[in-house]
Structures are given as structure tokens and as C-alpha cells.
Amino acid sequence: MITNESELSNEDNYIKPEFHKQLDDFLANAEHKYKTIQSLVCVHVIERIYRRVKLGYGRHFGGVKVNIEENLIIDGNHRYIAYEMAGFDYEIIPQNKNHCDKPPYRDIKTFEVDYEVDWDMGHPHTRKFCNDDFLKDFDRD
């Protein structure tokens, strides 16, 4: 259980400029293991996962689905980035490609980052993840 609830956030709309820089540096300069078909990621989603992993809740967010033969992320681009930035040992879940996963594949370095819109806020199923209230029922890693 959470031992210091002040570590958790009720509002996640503001991303610190330091995290922008850290994310940009990671995307541009890290050696990425995988390719992707995705071209855009959300800084708000990545920051929330990253922060929560650093607080010890990483195992609650699931693995990254990867087509092993092509080193292609099928599902979990935001988790991959947050986990790698946090140095978290995450599960790789082998996954077959589907008809949407067609070349050309993108290098993670080419991701564009949406710094404006919090993607979770726009979806009723993911809005609950915009604050940390749901974590109060989880144990830390």
C-alpha cells in the first residue's frame, strides 16, 4: 500500500519542462530496441507512467507487446518509453502483427510528441488514469 500518499497526484495536467527535456533527449539519443508504426505519443501519458513506475507501481501497467521477428512494438509505445526512461525491467509479450502493422516501420527517434493535449482526458475509459486515485488499492513493487 501507499505509505506516503503525498507522493501521489490528484492533478496531472502540468508537465514540468525538465521532463520535456528528458523525454526529448531519450527519444533522440537513446539506443532503441524496437521499431513502431506509431508516429505520435502523448507526453502526459508517458509522464504519468514514468512517475508511477518510479514510485514503485510498474508491475500494474503491463508489458509491451512486440513482434519478435521484426522487433516491432505492436502495443505499448507509451509504456516502452516510460519503462526505458525509468530503467524498469518490463515484460515483453510476443505478439503477431495484424493487417494494420505494415511497413514502413518508424524508428522511435522519429516520434512526434503531443505536448498540448492529454489524450486520457478525452476518453471516458482512460480519464480515471489522469490522477493517482486508482493506485490507492495497489501494492508497490
Side-chain angles (χ1 to χ4, degrees):
M1 293 296 287
I2 298 168
T3 57
N4 181 359
E5 292 192 12
S6 66
E7 294 174 333
L8 297 179
S9 167
N10 289 324
E11 295 182 29
D12 245 3
N13 295 329
Y14 176 72
I15 305 297
K16 295 177 182 170
E18 300 82 39
F19 189 80
H20 284 229
K21 182 176 179 346
Q22 184 181 0
L23 175 59
D24 289 344
D25 182 60
F26 173 78
L27 292 175
N29 299 314
E31 188 66 34
H32 300 289
K33 303 173 187 178
Y34 305 109
K35 300 279 188 196
T36 184
I37 62 163
Q38 192 165 328
S39 61
L40 183 66
V41 291
C42 175
V43 68
H44 297 275
V45 173
I46 295 167
E47 190 280 335
R48 277 194 289 274
I49 297 168
Y50 171 84
R51 182 175 44 77
R52 292 165 180 167
V53 165
K54 295 299 258 182
L55 287 172
Y57 295 97
R59 68 184 166 101
H60 298 291
F61 297 103
V64 177
K65 295 179 182 176
V66 174
N67 178 274
I68 303 300
E69 294 80 30
E70 299 198 36
N71 286 333
L72 179 69
I73 295 175
I74 303 298
D75 180 46
N77 285 284
H78 291 87
R79 289 187 304 274
Y80 164 76
I81 293 167
Y83 291 162
E84 287 286 327
M85 288 177 65
F88 180 69
D89 187 22
Y90 54 96
E91 178 185 13
I92 297 298
I93 303 166
Q95 181 77 38
N96 291 326
K97 297 186 306 180
N98 67 40
H99 67 278
C100 296
D101 301 322
K102 296 179 182 175
Y105 303 136
R106 297 176 170 274
D107 190 308
I108 301 291
K109 293 179 186 295
T110 67
F111 268 146
E112 291 184 46
V113 179
D114 187 340
Y115 288 105
E116 301 299 320
V117 178
D118 186 338
W119 295 2
D120 285 338
M121 284 299 293
H123 299 282
H125 293 79
T126 59
R127 188 173 293 130
K128 67 182 176 186
F129 300 124
C130 291
N131 67 51
D132 292 327
D133 289 345
F134 76 100
L135 291 173
K136 292 177 182 170
D137 296 327
F138 293 124
D139 292 332
R140 292 184 191 211
D141 297 338

